[in-house]
Amino acid sequence: MRRTHRLFAALLVATASLAGLDARAQDTAFTALEQAQPSLVQWRRDLHQHPELGEQETRTANLVADHLRSLGLTVRNGVGKTGVVAVLKGGKPGPRIALRADMDALPVTEQTGLPFASTVKADYRGQPVGVMHACGHDAHVAILMGVAQALVTAKDELPGEVMFVFQPAEEGPPVAGEVFGAALMLKDGIFKDFTPDAVFGLHVWAGLPVGSVGYRSGPLMAAADEWSLVVKGKQTHGSRPWDGVDPITLGAQILLGTQSMIARQVNIATSPVVLTAGQFQAGVRFNIIPDEARLVGTLRTFDPAVREDVIARFRRIATDYAHASEGTAELQVVNNAPATINQPALTQRVRPSLERAVGAANVVEMPLVTVAEDFSQFANTVPGFYFFVGSTAKGIDPATAPINHSPQFLLDEQALQTGSRAMLQVAWDYLSATP
């Protein structure tokens, strides 16, 4: 009996010693992250001033790769065309996780007035455009660079392995219909030799105040489809529409028909649906009815069955309206991203980490969000968790602040500290704790 007591006492001492060691290692990582905050701001501002469109992120990728190499990590470039990947092997056995940040900017002309505002110009799908980090991916890159640096400082006591994924082209491919972004990285075998037990990602979000984070269990963000509708009629003089078939009027009728369909034929109370046209191109002159009109837009859904039903109804509306007007209409739909779904068990495990990072009062449950994220490609391959980081400055109502993708989108840089601390806490707790 005495021997049993001695063994138990020794086990308690060893356990306490290990707990102390883990606590010291954690303190080391978080202290390193705090000390790196000025660098995060510098990286973010540099990236913001030099944005690059999807699959053109060569400067960004080089900056990331150089930083990861400086940490002693082996780097893979060119994954998914311009993606960057590196793996940190901890000094102790443990799980494998992946942390992901997206790198691409948007074809948006910046209107923030920042001293480091972008003046970059580029070509996007045949059109001259301004280029801006209007979605905050510059912040995502800086945050993950900082988290990587913090974890490396404690690698000897770190259980498990961490893959850092810097992904290109989250906003979509340069050419509609191409495989891009997360899907292309998976096609290139990113998880072939390293299959994570979980993958984590975040997004700065103008709809939340700085200092807060938002999460949701189950479906969080919608699936995104890019649709293209080509309407063909018969060209004629603008003063004699009866001599031809007007594809502009026909295209407008089809578009209005889809909105009536969403409002009257789809139960959006159980599963939200959004169908939007972002382009309507037709004609070259004020008094000529053209042969053809082209509409391009997006469809957002949360349920695969609802998605298929809406697409079928859209195609039927287009065909029937075109037939009635003696024209034709051809609809093409390409899925850019499935719905982003946070695995419920993983969400339950991660929420306490978010609360430890920012305080329970600053962790809010999100409603369904109709924006989309191709992080879902990773999360459909292994269990995933994705969360939002508030980016709107105090004193500004997030409900009226310029939202992500706006030319006036303005990030409060305190979000870098909140986001990096939350991501580091999530990673550290997952690696060091037993489920």
Side-chain angles (χ1 to χ4, degrees), residues 221-242:
M221 287 182 286
D225 288 284
E226 183 175 343
W227 58 263
S228 175
L229 179 69
V230 177
V231 180
K232 293 186 177 180
K234 180 182 176 182
Q235 186 164 316
T236 185
H237 198 286
S239 67
R240 296 178 61 83
W242 49 84

Side-chain angles (χ1 to χ4, degrees), residues 208-215 351-366 388 390 394 418:
L208 290 173
V210 72
S212 65
V213 299
Y215 80 101
R351 177 174 174 169
S353 299
L354 297 178
E355 293 177 346
R356 275 191 287 276
V358 302
N362 294 315
V363 178
V364 299
E365 186 170 1
M366 300 288 293
F388 289 101
K394 293 176 182 178
T418 304

Side-chain angles (χ1 to χ4, degrees), residues 125 226-229 276-281 294-298:
R125 296 188 180 182
E226 183 175 343
W227 58 263
S228 175
L229 179 69
T276 297
Q279 291 176 278
F280 196 142
Q281 300 169 335
R294 181 171 180 266
L295 290 82
V296 180
T298 186

Side-chain angles (χ1 to χ4, degrees), residues 20 28 50 90 115 177 182 222 233 252 258 274 280 288 293 299 323 337 426 428-430:
T28 297
H50 302 94
T258 64
V274 176
F280 196 142
I288 299 176
L299 170 66
H323 179 73
V426 166
W428 190 272
D429 289 351
Y430 189 96

Side-chain angles (χ1 to χ4, degrees), residues 314-328:
F314 189 173
R315 185 165 279 117
R316 186 164 59 246
I317 288 168
T319 301
D320 289 351
Y321 268 107
H323 179 73
S325 298
E326 299 183 345
T328 63

